[in-house]
Structure formats: structure tokens, C-alpha cells
Amino acid sequence: DIAQAQEASIILLRRIEVSRVAGASPVAGAGERCATTHGHNDKSEHKIEAQTVRESVNRDRQVIWLLCAAALFGMLAIAVHLRPVVNGDAAFLRGLHHGMHWRLSRTMLFANRLGNPFVVYPCAVALTIWQIAHRDWRGSAFVVLSMGGIALANVGLRAAFHRVRPDLWPSLLPNHSYIYSFSSGHASIIAGLALTLARVILLPRSWNIVLTGIVLAVGFTTLGLGVHFLTDVVAGWALAVVWTLTSGLIVNLDSRKP
């Protein structure tokens, strides 16, 4: 027994010596492993905290934009009842019409069709199906809520304001006068689709520029064709910003997993 104990002591001393030569003891190695584990936990906690801060800052920024767009829409809703604004809207359309050549009107008609509901909403349905196919339930709910809400808001606003469309020259769009003017449906739904698409899909900057150009083109052609006043178009854009941001906050879009 004594011999076995001496042999075990010698083996233990050799192991300790080997550990010293290697630069670490068994106890130190365990400590290092524990420190490494704590380091990983600290990094994970910092990452989660940073993500939470980014989401909070982004939410605050969206609320600010939402309030600014809502304030703009509110001012326009009041302004369309003021005679100077009404006269200014009409004068602006007349000046735009006289400053453009009639041959451009056909091109305007083609560009304006990009904001037609029969073009925009099939794109919105395709986007929803794309999100469902990728199991992005929060993103698909955002698309439905955003685009559906803008459509309902347009119907409600036109019924509430009863603003008559401009009738300053013969329009290339037949049978448009039976629908009220405020706010512009073409302007709001194309802007809503662009904002929705940009929020659910990470697009290159060039694509965002293209989307912005399409939104502006639809708004400009709506004016050039004489079917909406300037205040109608700007109100449609403001409506799109308000409701897409509101929809994103409702579904908590920023917290979805990438």
C-alpha cells in the first residue's frame, strides 16, 4: 500500500510538472474555461442590449416621422376648405397644363397607370405570398395591414370630404369625375407599396431611388392629367407615410428575426 501511494504521488508530481512546463495548471485551466464562458455570456448580453437600443431608437424615429406626416395631413385637410388654397390649386394646375405640350399626355397616361389599383394591389398580393413562402408572418401581416388600411382610408376620406375633382380641361381619363378627389388614391397606394416593399425587403439604394422615382412620376402625371389637385397628391403621400409607419408599429415589424 505504501509503495502504491508513493507511486501515485510520483505520477501526480509529474503531471503537475508537465502542467507547469505547458504554462498552466489544472486549476488555472478550469479558471480560464470559466472566464471564457463568462466572456461569451457577456458578449451575448451586450449584443442583445445593443439590439434593444437600436430597436428603441428606430421606433422613436418612426414615431417622429409619423407625427410629422400626420401634422402635414391635418394641415392639408383644413387647407382644402380655404378659398385661397382652392384658388391656388386651380392656378397651379392651369399653369402646369399650359406649360406642357399635349403630346406628353399619352406618356403621362402610361406612367400614371403604374399607380392604378389593378397594378398596385396584385403586386401587394405577390409580396404577401412571398413573405408567407419565407415564413415571415410578421412581414406578411404588415403588408396586408398597410395596403388594406390605405385602401379603406381612401374610401373613408373621400366620403368624408366630398371634394370635387378638378374640371379645368377635357381629361384623358374618362369617368373619373364620379370619385371624389381628396386624397389621391393613386398617390397614396403607390407610395404605400413603395414604403411597404422597402420595409419588408432589404433593397439596394438604387432600387429605393427607382421606387422614389415611380412615386414622384405617378404623382406628377396625376397633376398633369388634371385629375387631382396638388393638395390631393401631397395628402395621399402623407397618408401613405402615416399608415405604413402605424402598421409597422402595430405588428412590431422591427423585432422580427432577419
Side-chain angles (χ1 to χ4, degrees), residues 79-97:
V80 294
H81 297 288
L82 303 177
R83 179 56 57 184
V85 175
V86 174
N87 293 336
D89 262 342
F92 177 81
L93 282 187
R94 288 192 186 95
L96 183 63
H97 181 67

Side-chain angles (χ1 to χ4, degrees), residues 12-204:
L12 179 60
L13 290 174
R14 286 178 179 175
R15 288 181 178 177
I16 293 173
E17 185 66 26
V18 170
S19 298
R20 288 177 180 175
V21 172
S25 65
V27 176
E32 288 178 0
R33 287 192 297 271
C34 184
T36 302
T37 303
H38 283 297
H40 286 304
N41 291 336
D42 290 340
K43 289 181 179 179
S44 299
E45 290 177 0
H46 287 310
K47 185 177 181 180
I48 294 172
E49 183 178 354
Q51 178 67 22
T52 303
V53 171
R54 281 195 297 269
E55 289 180 3
S56 178
V57 171
N58 194 27
R59 178 178 290 266
D60 292 342
R61 187 183 298 117
Q62 291 175 34
V63 170
I64 292 172
W65 277 106
L66 191 157
L67 294 176
C68 291
L72 174 60
F73 184 88
M75 289 188 292
L76 291 171
I78 296 172
V80 294
H81 297 288
L82 303 177
R83 179 56 57 184
V85 175
V86 174
N87 293 336
D89 262 342
F92 177 81
L93 282 187
R94 288 192 186 95
L96 183 63
H97 181 67
H98 290 306
M100 293 163 42
H101 202 281
W102 263 105
R103 287 182 301 177
L104 295 176
S105 296
R106 295 293 176 182
T107 305
M108 286 186 178
L109 189 60
F110 174 78
N112 189 257
R113 285 173 180 166
L114 295 174
N116 192 294
F118 294 104
V119 175
V120 173
Y121 279 96
C123 293
V125 171
L127 181 59
T128 304
I129 295 173
W130 172 269
Q131 296 300 113
I132 293 174
H134 287 77
R135 298 184 179 275
D136 188 355
W137 312 117
R138 203 182 294 270
S140 59
F142 168 69
V143 177
V144 172
L145 182 61
S146 176
M147 297 305 297
I150 290 174
L152 293 176
N154 272 314
V155 173
L157 287 169
R158 290 175 177 180
F161 282 86
H162 282 170
R163 189 185 193 191
V164 179
R165 285 180 181 263
D167 189 18
L168 304 177
W169 61 82
S171 175
L172 292 175
L173 293 176
N175 300 325
H176 73 277
S177 58
Y178 68 92
I179 302 176
Y180 291 112
S181 183
F182 188 89
S183 57
S184 170
H186 276 54
S188 61
I189 62 175
I190 191 63
L193 179 63
L195 291 170
T196 301
L197 181 63
R199 291 210 63 191
V200 297
I201 298 178
L202 185 60
L203 297 172

